[in-house]
Amino acid sequence: MLKKVVWEMCVRLASDVVKVCVTGAAGQIAYSLLYSIAKGDVFGPDQPLCLTLLDIAPMMGVLEGVVMELNDCAFPLLREIIPTADEKVAFSGVSAAFLVGAMPRREGMERKDLLAANVKIFKSQGQAIDQFANKDIKVLVVGNPANTNALICSFYAPSIPRENFSCMTRLDQNRAQAQIAARLGVRNDAVENVIIWGNHSSTQFPDVRHATVEISPGKRIPVYDAVKDDNYLKNEFVTTVQTRGAAVIKARKLSSAMSAAKAACDHMRDWWIGTQDNKWVSMGVVSPGVYGIEKGLMYSFPVRIQNKTWTIVEGLEINEFARKKMDATAVELKEEKDQAMDICKA
C-alpha cells in the first residue's frame, strides 16, 4: 500500500514538471535564453522544468559544454537536461518549444536559397512535433525568416492547432519601445501598446499611433502627443527599428543574441502566463483575415492573452500611412509563403 502511495506521488510530481525544448541549443541566442528559462523567468519562479536541447550532430561537443554550465548553475527548478540531435527525443512530451536553430543567410545567398534551406528544417521539425509533442504545445519560432518558418512548421503539424504556432516580433516591439522611451527620457516600461505589424524583416511596420506613455505618475498620454514630431515617427523611428538588427551586426560583428533571447522569454512568458490589464503585445500569428490581411499568412498583430490563448486586438483605426505599410509587409509575406509552399511541393 505504501509503495502504491509513493508511486502515485512520484507520478504527480513528474506531471508537474514542464518539458521545454530549445533548438539551436549550442548557439549564441540559446546561450542567453537557457539561463533565463532555467532560472524561472519564463514559466514561473516555482515551476519545475525539464529541458531538451536539440542541435545538429557536429555541435554535440559544444552542447555538452552548455549542459555542463547549466548543471554548474545549480538551478533549483531544473530537474533534467536532455541534449540530443534526435528530433524524436527532443520533442517527445514537450509542452513548449523555442525553435531558435535555423540556417543563417550567408554571403551571396539569395533569399529563395535561404527559404529552401529552412523549409527542410522546419518541415522536419513540424512533423516531429506533430508525432511526439503534447497536442497543446506552444511553439515559438525565433529562427529567421521567422514568419515563414513558423508557417511551414505549423503546416506540417496538422494535429496541433495552428494558433499554437507563433513567430517572434517581440524583439522589434522591445526595440521600438526603447526608442520612444529614450526619445522622451522616460523608463522603458512607461511606454505601452507599441505594435509591430507584419514580417520580422525590414518591411515590418512599428506603429505607435495607439501607444501611450506615462509622462508623470498616474498621467498617461498618447505617444504622438508626447513626441510631437510626426516626421520623426513616420521616418527616422520606423527606419531605425526596421534596420536595428543590421546595425547591431555592424557594431558587434555578431547578431543580436542577448536582446533576441530576452524577447523570446518575454514572448513565451506572456503566452504562458497572460497579459495584464488593457495591455497588448505583438506576436506573429496565423491571420484569420482581419485588418485586411490575407487569411493564412503568419503576420504580426497586437494581441491580448488569457489562459494561454491569444486574441487579436481588433477595431483599431488604420490611417492611410499605416495601411500602405501594413500592405507592403503583407506582400512580402505572401511572396515568401508562395515560394516556401512551392519548395514543399517540389
Side-chain angles (χ1 to χ4, degrees), residues 22 47 60 64 66 68 90 104 114 125 156 158 166 180 185 188 196 273 290 301 313 318:
V22 176
Q47 177 58 63
M60 286 300 103
E64 181 181 351
V66 174
M68 291 168 66
L114 181 66
Q125 291 184 359
Y156 283 98
S166 70
I180 295 298
N188 289 320
I196 302 298
I273 297 173
V290 298
F301 293 97
V313 178
I318 305 299

Side-chain angles (χ1 to χ4, degrees), residues 129-147:
I129 288 169
D130 190 60
Q131 293 180 61
F132 307 116
N134 291 348
K135 297 306 178 185
D136 61 353
I137 186 175
K138 302 295 184 255
V139 181
L140 167 58
V141 175
V142 177
N144 288 317
N147 295 60

Side-chain angles (χ1 to χ4, degrees), residues 258-271:
M258 185 195 311
S259 55
K262 163 63 164 53
C265 289
D266 291 344
H267 180 125
M268 186 63 81
R269 183 195 62 241
D270 286 343
W271 200 359

Side-chain angles (χ1 to χ4, degrees), residues 125-253:
Q125 291 184 359
Q127 290 169 332
I129 288 169
D130 190 60
Q131 293 180 61
F132 307 116
N134 291 348
K135 297 306 178 185
D136 61 353
I137 186 175
K138 302 295 184 255
V139 181
L140 167 58
V141 175
V142 177
N144 288 317
N147 295 60
T148 301
N149 287 343
L151 186 70
I152 293 300
C153 193
S154 70
F155 183 80
Y156 283 98
S159 70
I160 309 292
R162 298 195 78 189
E163 56 267 25
N164 287 23
F165 291 83
S166 70
C167 74
M168 188 175 82
T169 55
R170 185 60 170 268
L171 176 54
D172 308 303
Q173 176 191 314
N174 288 350
R175 287 167 169 165
Q177 184 176 333
Q179 289 295 317
I180 295 298
R183 180 86 175 187
L184 296 174
V186 299
R187 301 184 324 271
N188 289 320
D189 63 354
V191 181
E192 294 181 357
N193 293 350
V194 174
I195 300 170
I196 302 298
W197 300 100
N199 200 1
H200 175 61
S201 74
S202 60
T203 68
Q204 65 174 266
F205 173 41
D207 181 6
V208 294
R209 191 159 175 266
H210 305 283
T212 63
V213 58
E214 187 178 54
I215 57 170
S216 61
K219 185 176 182 180
R220 181 167 291 279
I221 65 173
V223 162
Y224 257 80
D225 293 347
V227 173
K228 299 177 182 177
D229 191 337
D230 190 62
N231 182 61
Y232 165 76
L233 291 173
K234 288 184 175 179
N235 294 285
E236 182 185 338
F237 165 71
V238 172
T239 302
T240 298
V241 177
Q242 289 176 334
T243 60
R244 187 67 166 185
V248 170
I249 291 174
K250 183 178 180 180
R252 187 174 175 257
K253 313 307 177 190

Side-chain angles (χ1 to χ4, degrees), residues 4 31 46 139 240:
K4 181 180 179 182
Y31 194 73
D46 300 313
V139 181
T240 298

